[in-house]
């Protein structure tokens, strides 16, 4: 993990030096426009003023070392200025220039920049810088669309252009900090985020991540954020599965950079979102309500179409619209026209539209405010569903052509109901543009999350619930990510591989190697029929026709041995696993960033086609493995399909944990491990095929 730098002066400066006349003038103008309360010191050898502020001719002419500096000169001059700032005791600097580590000739220049900075923190190079909206500090060379909140979320991105665009959002998201990381020559994205945790006004953090260069730094960030109860959500880009020419196993073809990223962030309790709109809405929900306690949702709308959309779009996620209790259903029905069907999602029709009091009663009753036999108003045990998030679908008309006056009673009603129920509440627009920024501001002030777009709202609820689940569990240990032994990997034969696995408690069928047909027949007699014959030395034996199953006598063995491709090198004779219910794949692959990855999923010859897998990072617990199995589509087969027998999941979990122990024992040398299939029966599980590639010298 990279060393820790003190960013406090850079993030919240009282004095700022700005170097450069072009982009630097824009920085000065933005500081003046923001009403920065500290000292602004432009530095330029030839100009009297920069951005309308009197300039100093050199760094030496400044009254004292600045808390922060923004450097907008060429890359070589940047190094000289950084060196002078560091020697003078400055608090930190933003390096705008490009041409460092991102270029072919920039490595030496990058090293020189780091040497010049020493212990002084620098952001970038090749980045715009940062905006501290809370204190009115834009170390920023361009226009931006943000405003000063009292508290809000922090957004960090490696892309300056994405940062600019995010400042222009009109969705009501209160942004406390916007930071760009650029090349991350000295300070990475995760370390920047950790520094922002020191500001108690930061309510949540959003990360736009192009690459995870230092997993340990992200692990430290996740631990610190959880300790301070600050939720984090991430948008990870560049996660497409990359070609892995050196791999030969099924596992390696299923586990790539995308699977590793998903597993890593899930392990840290940092939900991944699919795009910028989802990230903005998730941050908004987290800003208002934090992680959700569960996945029980309520939807209310005055349209059956919107109710159906909510139900249909939530079906693809692990979200639930539970039915009302009988008491609650009666309470809701009492507030509505008899023609209305009381259900969740609720279409309350338009009979009460415009009647603030009636709508407040309906919303409150639906959200769980019931009064039974003199009980005080609120959730009464056993009488109402305690929803983890109640959502009112409310689309506002465009005010340039229409009037939104009749929507005001609905806003007032949901505000009143939210106060009465005291549970997380959101107003959701079916389209993002149908919830104006000024309405978002009013809802935020009332403690209601304004969410723009149904799909984005459900994604936000999913992410907030995942955070709640993660925070209810202990933080996992650091990932197992040792540097591999430099020796080239070699493939271990199936028989030897199974012997190695058996030593760690992984059940394997009894088998013998045979060099002749007669030896194969004798081996089969000794093992007991039915048997399996396999060609040795092939990575994908089934696809190559190198496997013969269910051989019941000596004649069948002789015919199969004579027909197998490559049988001249001998064959493996094994007792056939009978009573198999489910075939699974269990494997280990090595990711250059995340280390050893455990992949579990539907196996057999259709492993890649079905792609029904879950990837976990080592080390793993029995609970994690059980949860991974339960999340597979093949889990329905494990539990017994259409009245059939259930597979022995305890045996499967034991075998998978044994694979993990084997991988941990050989963490520096193991390259790939592939058990395909692991055959699950009613009472046991068997590794029917195994491949190992290892870097033993």
């Amino acid at each position: 993990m990279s060393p820790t730098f003190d960013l406090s002066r850079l993030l919240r400066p009282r004095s700022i030096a700005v170097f450069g006349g072009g982009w630097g003038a824009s920085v000065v103008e933005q500081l003046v426009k923001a009403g920065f309360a500290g000292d602004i010191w432009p530095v330029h050898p030839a100009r009297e003023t920069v951005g309308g502020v009197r300039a100093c001719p050199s760094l030496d002419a400044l009254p004292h070392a600045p808390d922060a500096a923004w450097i907008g000169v060429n890359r070589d001059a940047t190094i000289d200025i950084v060196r002078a700032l560091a020697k003078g005791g400055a608090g930190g600097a933003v390096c705008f220039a490009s041409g460092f580590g991102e270029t072919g000739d920039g490595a030496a220049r990058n090293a020189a920049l780091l040497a010049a900075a020493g212990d002084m923190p620098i952001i970038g190079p090749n980045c715009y810088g940062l905006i501290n909206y809370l204190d009115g500090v834009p170390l920023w060379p361009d226009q931006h669309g943000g405003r000063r909140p009292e508290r809000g979320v922090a957004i960090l991105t490696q892309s300056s252009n994405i940062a600019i665009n995010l400042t222009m959002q009109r969705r009501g998201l209160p942004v406390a900090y916007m930071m760009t990381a650029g090349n991350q020559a000295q300070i990475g994205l995760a370390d920047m985020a950790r520094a922002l945790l020191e500001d108690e006004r930061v309510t949540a953090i959003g990360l736009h991540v192009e690459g995870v260069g230092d997993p340990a730094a992200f692990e430290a960030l996740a631990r610190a954020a959880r300790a301070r109860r600050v939720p984090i959500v991430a948008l990870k880009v560049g996660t497409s599965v990359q070609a892995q020419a050196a791999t030969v196993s099924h596992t390696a073809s299923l586990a790539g950079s995308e699977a590793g990223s998903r597993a890593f962030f899930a392990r840290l309790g940092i939900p991944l979102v699919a795009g910028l709109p989802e990230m903005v809405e998730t941050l908004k929900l987290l800003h208002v309500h934090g992680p959700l306690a569960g996945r029980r949702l309520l939807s209310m709308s005055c349209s059956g179409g919107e109710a159906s959309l909510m139900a249909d779009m939530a079906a693809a996620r692990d979200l639930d619209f539970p039915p009302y209790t009988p008491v609650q259903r009666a309470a809701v029905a009492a507030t509505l026209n008899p023609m209305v069907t009381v259900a969740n999602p609720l279409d309350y029709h338009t009979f009460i539209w415009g009647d603030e009091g009636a709508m407040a009663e309906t919303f409150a009753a639906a959200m769980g405010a019931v009064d039974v036999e003199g009980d005080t108003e609120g959730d009464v045990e056993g009488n109402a569903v305690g929803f983890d998030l109640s959502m009112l679908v409310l689309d506002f008309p465009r005010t340039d052509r229409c009037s939104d006056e009749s929507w005001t009673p609905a806003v007032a009603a949901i505000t009143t109901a939210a106060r009465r129920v005291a549970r997380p509440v959101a107003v959701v627009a079916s389209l993002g543009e149908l919830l104006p920024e000024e309405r978002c501001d009013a809802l935020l002030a009332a403690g209601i999350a304004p969410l723009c777009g149904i799909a984005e709202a459900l994604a936000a609820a999913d992410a907030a619930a995942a955070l709640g689940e993660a925070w209810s569990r202990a933080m996992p240990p650091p990932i197992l990510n040792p540097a591999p032994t430099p020796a080239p990997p070699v493939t271990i034969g199936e028989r030897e591989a199974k012997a190695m696995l058996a030593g760690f408690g992984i059940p394997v069928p009894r088998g013998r190697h045979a060099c002749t047909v007669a030896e194969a027949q004798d081996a089969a007699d000794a093992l007991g029929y039915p048997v399996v014959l396999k060609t040795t030395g092939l990575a994908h034996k089934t696809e190559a026709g190198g496997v013969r199953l269910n051989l019941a006598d000596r004649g069948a063995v002789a015919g199969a041995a004579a027909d197998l491709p490559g049988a001249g090198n001998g064959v493996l004779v094994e007792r056939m696993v009978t009573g198999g219910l489910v075939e699974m794949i269990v494997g280990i692959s090595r990711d250059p960033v995340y280390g050893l990855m455990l992949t579990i999923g539907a196996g057999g010859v259709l492993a890649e086609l079905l792609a029904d897998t879950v990837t976990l990072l080592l080390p793993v617990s029995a609970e994690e493995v059980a949860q991974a199995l339960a999340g597979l589509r093949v889990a329905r087969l494990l539990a017994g399909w259409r009245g059939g027998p259930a597979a022995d999941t305890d045996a499967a979990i034991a075998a998978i944990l044994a694979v993990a122990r084997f991988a941990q024992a050989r963490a520096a040398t193991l390259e790939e491990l592939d058990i395909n299939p692991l055959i699950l029966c009613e009472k046991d599980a068997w590794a029917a095929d195994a491949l190992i590639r290892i870097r033993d010298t």
Side-chain angles (χ1 to χ4, degrees), residues 677-692:
L678 177 72
I679 300 177
L680 307 188
C681 306
E682 278 193 80
K683 297 298 182 182
D684 45 34
W686 298 91
D689 196 1
L691 178 147
I692 294 175

Side-chain angles (χ1 to χ4, degrees), residues 16 215 222 419 583:
I16 298 172
R419 284 197 300 264
E583 291 189 352

Side-chain angles (χ1 to χ4, degrees), residues 1 194 197 215-230 232 268-270 471 474-479:
M1 191 172 73
R194 279 189 72 189
L197 291 173
F218 279 85
E219 290 176 324
L221 168 63
R223 285 192 294 271
R226 189 177 299 194
R228 292 182 177 271
R229 312 305 287 177
V230 177
I232 301 176
L268 300 185
I270 299 177
W471 283 13
M475 188 76 187
I479 60 173

Side-chain angles (χ1 to χ4, degrees), residues 136 141 215 234 264 282 382 385 429-430 521-522 531 657 659:
F264 181 65
T282 301
V385 177
S430 57
Q521 290 174 312
D522 292 343
V531 297
L657 291 175
V659 168

